[in-house]
Amino acid sequence: MTVSDWGDWLPNAVADADPETVAVWYLGCNGFVIKGSEGTTIWIDPYVGLGDPPRTIRMIPVPFDPEDVPESGADAVLATHEHTDHTHGPSQGPILERTGADFYAPDDSLSVAFDDEEWLDSYDISESQFTEVTEGNSLDIGEFTVDVVETQDADSTHPVGYMIQHESGTIFHAGDSKPADNFADLGETYDIDLGILAFGAIGNIPDKETREPVRTKWYATENETVKSASDLQLDRLLPSHWDMWKGMTADPTVLHHHAQSYEHPQELEIVEIGDRVEL
């Protein structure tokens, strides 16, 4: 069982919320909860693990216990790719178990769930709750239409992004993507109100085998992040993942000055873990 630093207030705040349009809560790392005006609630990449010290060390609080998510607190859980801080049984299995929510993920994420972590044996969930997605798919989840789009992350074996459309506007969660060749086309095709892009530093991370520090780049730099936001023609850019791992933390306010020389993003939305923003 996960021990939350904050008790149960965050999942209860989500459950009690009655947004006029769409509300978005940042869970830290690259996790988000999105709730629409009719109550449909989507969790994306929720992660409450501590990493693998001393290689990966969590730098932020554990904001909730998955077992505290109310029975009506999730309609769907989406995973962008197979990395442990995006597809993680102890973080996501209890949500699926308590709520009966559907789990949408690309093939390699499902391999983690079924083969590596054996979620079906570890949690009271059914295989029917799982849906494999790939680029070009379109999902109807309550009041949302979610298009699965191509992203680019050389560190992942099969990453995808989610274009989450609502009558109030469109949210794009790009997972851990760096700039991608198709982002300019997506910017022309979709009117993206809020774009979530992973941003971080280049730091020294202990090697898995030797534990010696190795210069490592997992996430987009400020130049790459603003390029993606420009290509996507984002109205608002919300940088994520900058807070999570020791050696990879970054200051998202550096994006302000660089973004000023571009037409897009029109606004930089800086949030901290636990914050809520509106579409």
Side-chain angles (χ1 to χ4, degrees):
M1 179 176 178
T2 300
V3 177
S4 170
D5 294 317
W6 292 351
D8 61 2
W9 77 263
L10 184 54
N12 287 335
V14 174
D16 294 341
D18 187 19
E20 292 186 6
T21 56
V22 177
V24 181
W25 289 262
Y26 182 40
L27 305 176
C29 195
N30 215 351
F32 290 83
V33 188
I34 297 174
K35 186 174 186 178
S37 54
E38 297 176 15
T40 303
T41 306
I42 298 174
W43 295 68
I44 306 176
D45 288 350
Y47 177 71
V48 295
L50 301 180
D52 182 25
R55 184 168 186 266
T56 50
I57 301 174
R58 186 183 183 106
M59 297 294 289
I60 53 175
V62 176
F64 72 99
D65 182 335
E67 295 190 5
D68 287 333
V69 176
E71 291 183 7
S72 60
D75 294 286
V77 177
L78 278 55
T80 59
H81 61 289
E82 77 287 348
H83 291 164
T84 191
D85 52 341
H86 300 262
T87 302
H88 186 242
S91 299
Q92 297 160 12
I95 298 176
L96 303 180
E97 184 177 69
R98 287 183 56 78
T99 67
D102 294 314
F103 184 77
Y104 298 92
D107 50 2
D108 291 345
S109 295
L110 293 183
S111 293
V112 170
F114 292 148
D115 302 328
D116 298 346
E117 297 186 352
E118 299 180 334
W119 292 13
L120 296 178
D121 295 330
S122 302
Y123 307 99
D124 185 16
I125 53 181
S126 167
E127 191 170 353
S128 64
Q129 291 175 249
F130 293 79
T131 298
E132 180 181 326
V133 301
T134 194
E135 298 85 344
N137 290 164
S138 186
L139 316 169
D140 291 321
I141 304 175
E143 66 204 89
F144 295 98
T145 298
V146 181
D147 289 348
V148 184
V149 302
E150 179 184 356
T151 59
Q152 184 172 318
D153 179 11
D155 295 320
S156 169
T157 56
H158 188 183
V160 299
Y162 295 104
M163 199 70 69
I164 302 164
Q165 300 159 87
H166 186 267
E167 63 180 11
S168 302
T170 297
I171 300 168
F172 178 44
H173 192 302
D176 287 356
S177 185
K178 286 77 173 177
D181 293 340
N182 65 315
F183 278 1
D185 290 338
L186 293 178
E188 292 292 335
T189 302
Y190 297 92
D191 182 8
I192 306 173
D193 297 274
L194 181 68
I196 297 167
L197 299 177
F199 163 67
I202 299 173
N204 289 324
I205 300 295
D207 180 79
K208 284 184 178 181
E209 302 297 331
T210 67
R211 296 302 188 186
E212 292 297 319
V214 177
R215 187 168 176 81
T216 304
K217 178 181 183 289
W218 283 336
Y219 313 113
T221 64
E222 59 264 36
N223 288 315
E224 291 172 325
T225 300
V226 172
K227 173 175 170 48
S228 292
S230 177
D231 288 347
L232 290 161
Q233 301 182 39
L234 300 184
D235 290 347
R236 296 155 66 190
L237 163 63
L238 194 163
S240 62
H241 230 323
W242 54 268
D243 54 3
M244 186 62 179
W245 301 121
K246 184 174 178 62
M248 287 288 163
T249 57
D251 179 1
T253 62
V254 302
L255 297 167
H256 277 293
H257 294 299
H258 192 46
Q260 285 179 347
S261 64
Y262 290 81
E263 181 179 357
H264 297 280
Q266 297 177 351
E267 181 181 343
L268 184 61
E269 188 82 58
I270 301 294
V271 297
E272 296 179 325
I273 182 172
D275 285 349
R276 168 181 170 175
V277 299
E278 307 291 324
L279 192 60

